[in-house]
Amino acid sequence: MTITDNTTRTEHFDVIIVGAGLSGVGSAYRLQTECPGKSYTILESRAASGGTWDLFRYPGVRSDSDMFTLGYPFHPWPNPKAIADGPSILNYIRETAREYGIDRKIRYNHKVRRAAWSSEEARWTVEVEDTASSISHSLSCNFLFMCSGYYDYSQGYLPEWPDFEKYRGQVIHPQFWPEDLNYTGKRVVIIGSGATAVTLAPAMAPQAAHVTMLQRSPTYIVSMPARDAIANWLREHLPKKIAYSITRWKQILISMLFYMLARKRPEATKKRIIQMAQQALGPDYNVERHFSPLYNPWDQRLCLVPDADLFNAIKEGKVSVVTDQIESFTEKGILLKSGEQLEADIIVTATGLSMKVGGGVEFVVDGQPVKFSSTLSYKGTMYSDIPNLASVFGYTNASWTLKADLIAQYVCRVLNYMDEHGYNVCAPRRPTEPGALSEEPILNLTSGYVQRAITTLPHQGSKAPWKLYQNYLQDVKLLKLSRVNDGTLQFQKVNVGKELAHR
């Protein structure tokens, strides 16, 4: 917007949002609604909006939590299905962006490579590559808001298996599903037991000759009705926004209660989940082997299946579950440790995601590279001693959007506070007193994708505001009701040159 010299043009914004997915669109709405005077743009590395919901195209892709909490609180989910398919969610995100004019703020094919903070200028300089033309340019902003998720869009996780190269069939990773893949009448083996695997197996079963879900160890799987009868009744009898709000709070409280019971009484919760699986599969099915994990509920995320679709496909003989370990690959399939051989025309490696902190952006503060593993997470959104930077990281035990929306509202509170008091810099400062705070891993999940990335993640502290509670009501208090100037988040006014101030 301002020419900085005769050769360089640097566009400047009050806020740059990185990512045009569920979080980015929601954060943009909050920003333009609660900070209407702020200029902003959204940088999206891909050619389309929607983030995860545009990237994942595998059969049956759907939400793994209800849409009344995964949806936006300001834009009621319109579909009667509580557990929604991927295309419906993608359409919802894009429709929200269109309705509120957010789509006009998105710059596609804009991949952020580097973000450098200058304390002298009190701003971020963001280096962006146009992925369509490979041309790079720079933008600047006062505040940088990362809404790019937590995993690597360029690659999924693939273990190193013995003789993997010997296999002569097709190998597909769900993150890169071919549009023209024909699996009609084919024998399919899906390696994995997480949300993707339990979605793919019943979705592929009607066309495939047979689907085998090969898992190293079981996962807790809970069936839930795809349609929420109470929600749909409320929708018919109450104004749309009131019905949506009641349903949203119902789901929030139910999920919180279930999580607290699971953590307080793990053995009883485990027993009940396994009983429900046995009831769904019948008395003769070996639930103890295939659906009874060794860990406690919520040590890893639970998997949700709508209307017991996975269990039904197993009962109908279209899907088999094999719990074993891989000895090696053969030309025709997989040899297991037990000696059993699984022949397959197609192998789907639903083996998980690779986490990537900060979207893979290189962050620099006053010439020094940022190492996130050396930082503490402040209120689950900012980082110790890094100025004017926030990121969205949703819940591991509830819908992502619940935390994402709280964070977006909190960022708006911070920006408004800075304007009201004449500040242009804020950063949470780590306590320096000996023994004031101990460090803990930021995530307490034992899931593989978390453990593989644990050394690259920031830490959390032993008490607020450095502690992550994974509890919506506590976060409402922390992010919406507590004072912005809490003594930990420190503010200052940096005097910048006239030219910089008016860029």
Side-chain angles (χ1 to χ4, degrees):
M1 292 183 180
T2 299
I3 302 176
T4 57
D5 56 41
N6 292 332
T7 59
T8 305
R9 294 175 63 89
T10 302
E11 257 188 303
H12 181 77
F13 299 90
D14 293 318
V15 181
I16 288 178
I17 295 172
V18 180
L22 191 65
S23 303
V25 170
S27 296
Y29 170 85
R30 291 299 184 188
L31 184 64
Q32 66 186 27
T33 303
E34 300 179 21
C35 304
K38 295 291 184 187
S39 61
Y40 79 92
T41 191
I42 304 175
L43 305 181
E44 170 55 52
S45 63
R46 306 177 73 244
S49 62
T52 297
W53 300 106
D54 179 68
L55 176 69
F56 286 159
R57 304 291 182 90
Y58 58 82
V61 59
R62 55 169 171 79
S63 61
D64 63 351
S65 53
D66 69 273
M67 288 305 301
F68 306 110
T69 53
L70 189 65
Y72 301 117
F74 55 84
H75 190 66
W77 170 247
N79 197 305
K81 275 195 172 184
I83 306 301
D85 60 90
S88 296
I89 300 171
L90 179 60
N91 182 66
Y92 170 72
I93 296 169
R94 291 177 177 171
E95 193 272 332
T96 303
R98 285 193 300 271
E99 179 165 334
Y100 297 103
I102 296 166
D103 57 340
R104 297 192 293 272
K105 298 287 189 176
I106 304 172
R107 302 186 179 198
Y108 297 105
N109 299 310
H110 276 52
K111 185 172 183 61
V112 178
R113 295 293 187 184
R114 187 174 188 268
W117 169 262
S118 167
S119 293
E120 183 181 352
E121 299 180 358
R123 66 185 57 207
W124 288 96
T125 298
V126 179
E127 296 179 9
V128 181
E129 178 189 351
D130 185 327
T131 56
S133 65
S134 298
I135 296 174
S136 297
H137 63 282
S138 295
L139 306 171
S140 65
C141 64
N142 300 107
F143 199 96
L144 185 57
F145 196 5
M146 302 298 296
C147 298
S148 51
Y150 64 82
Y151 69 87
D152 191 343
Y153 272 48
S154 63
Q155 62 180 3
Y157 173 67
L158 189 67
E160 293 185 6
W161 288 304
D163 301 321
F164 183 56
E165 70 285 351
K166 287 185 178 179
Y167 178 62
R168 294 291 175 256
Q170 286 183 282
V171 178
I172 309 295
H173 195 286
Q175 193 166 324
F176 308 101
W177 197 269
E179 290 185 13
D180 59 349
L181 181 66
N182 180 12
Y183 54 89
T184 301
K186 302 290 182 66
R187 297 165 300 175
V188 179
V189 172
I190 301 170
I191 304 175
S193 60
T196 303
V198 303
T199 299
L200 271 168
M204 298 183 74
Q207 284 78 43
H210 189 76
V211 177
T212 301
M213 192 173 86
L214 171 61
Q215 58 182 14
R216 184 174 55 184
S217 58
T219 298
Y220 289 108
I221 298 178
V222 177
S223 176
M224 175 179 174
R227 294 172 183 258
D228 186 321
I230 296 175
N232 290 334
W233 185 91
L234 291 171
R235 194 201 307 266
E236 290 177 5
H237 293 85
L238 294 175
K240 181 171 64 174
K241 289 189 176 181
I242 294 175
Y244 186 68
S245 180
I246 294 172
T247 302
R248 186 177 176 84
W249 273 105
K250 172 179 75 73
Q251 293 303 118
I252 289 170
L253 295 175
I254 288 174
S255 65
M256 286 180 59
L257 178 62
F258 178 71
Y259 179 77
M260 287 188 291
L261 285 174
R263 301 310 281 176
K264 188 174 182 179
R265 302 182 62 189
E267 287 301 321
T269 305
K270 176 176 182 176
K271 182 179 179 181
R272 180 58 185 144
I273 293 173
I274 294 170
Q275 282 178 344
M276 290 191 294
Q278 192 76 71
Q279 290 168 2
L281 290 164
D284 298 328
Y285 191 85
N286 192 348
V287 168
E288 190 66 32
R289 176 170 176 78
H290 300 305
F291 290 99
S292 302
L294 296 176
Y295 56 86
N296 287 330
W298 286 115
D299 283 351
Q300 300 182 23
R301 280 188 67 105
L302 273 66
C303 283
L304 181 68
V305 295
D307 295 330
D309 62 356
L310 175 65
F311 298 141
N312 292 336
I314 293 171
K315 283 199 300 182
E316 293 166 4
K318 297 178 180 178
V319 171
S320 300
V321 177
V322 174
T323 304
D324 206 334
Q325 296 192 42
I326 295 174
E327 176 70 26
S328 65
F329 278 73
T330 67
E331 290 188 4
K332 294 183 177 181
I334 301 171
L335 175 63
L336 303 177
K337 293 280 189 182
S338 63
E340 182 182 357
Q341 298 194 49
L342 297 178
E343 293 191 356
D345 304 300
I346 299 173
I347 291 177
V348 181
T349 55
T351 46
L353 306 171
S354 296
M355 296 186 73
K356 181 179 279 190
V357 180
V361 176
E362 177 191 358
F363 287 91
V364 176
V365 173
D366 293 327
Q368 298 299 313
V370 171
K371 188 178 180 181
F372 282 102
S373 59
S374 299
T375 68
L376 282 179
S377 174
Y378 170 79
K379 294 191 175 183
T381 181
M382 301 181 76
Y383 304 95
S384 56
D385 304 315
I386 302 181
N388 293 27
L389 174 70
S391 66
V392 168
F393 199 107
Y395 291 118
T396 58
N397 63 344
S399 292
W400 178 273
T401 315
L402 289 176
K403 183 68 174 287
D405 189 61
L406 287 178
I407 288 173
Q409 292 180 77
Y410 174 73
V411 167
C412 291
R413 290 183 68 207
V414 170
L415 294 174
N416 287 333
Y417 180 89
M418 292 170 71
D419 286 348
E420 290 165 8
H421 294 83
Y423 298 120
N424 57 359
V425 177
C426 69
R429 299 302 180 188
R430 180 198 296 253
T432 56
E433 303 85 3
L437 196 70
S438 60
E439 294 186 6
E440 302 171 1
I442 195 169
L443 295 176
N444 61 358
L445 296 179
T446 61
S447 306
Y449 72 96
V450 173
Q451 295 306 310
R452 290 192 296 270
I454 201 72
T455 58
T456 67
L457 300 177
H459 291 77
Q460 65 171 315
S462 54
K463 57 186 177 181
W466 303 100
K467 189 171 182 61
L468 271 72
Y469 292 101
Q470 300 291 346
N471 182 295
Y472 183 73
L473 294 182
Q474 286 184 299
D475 283 333
V476 167
K477 179 181 177 181
L478 190 68
L479 295 168
K480 292 187 71 173
L481 303 178
S482 63
R483 292 189 306 122
V484 172
N485 190 349
D486 61 355
T488 299
L489 186 62
Q490 297 184 13
F491 300 88
Q492 66 179 122
K493 169 65 177 177
V494 174
N495 293 317
V496 297
K498 184 177 180 181
E499 180 182 350
L500 287 171
H502 292 87
R503 276 190 189 175

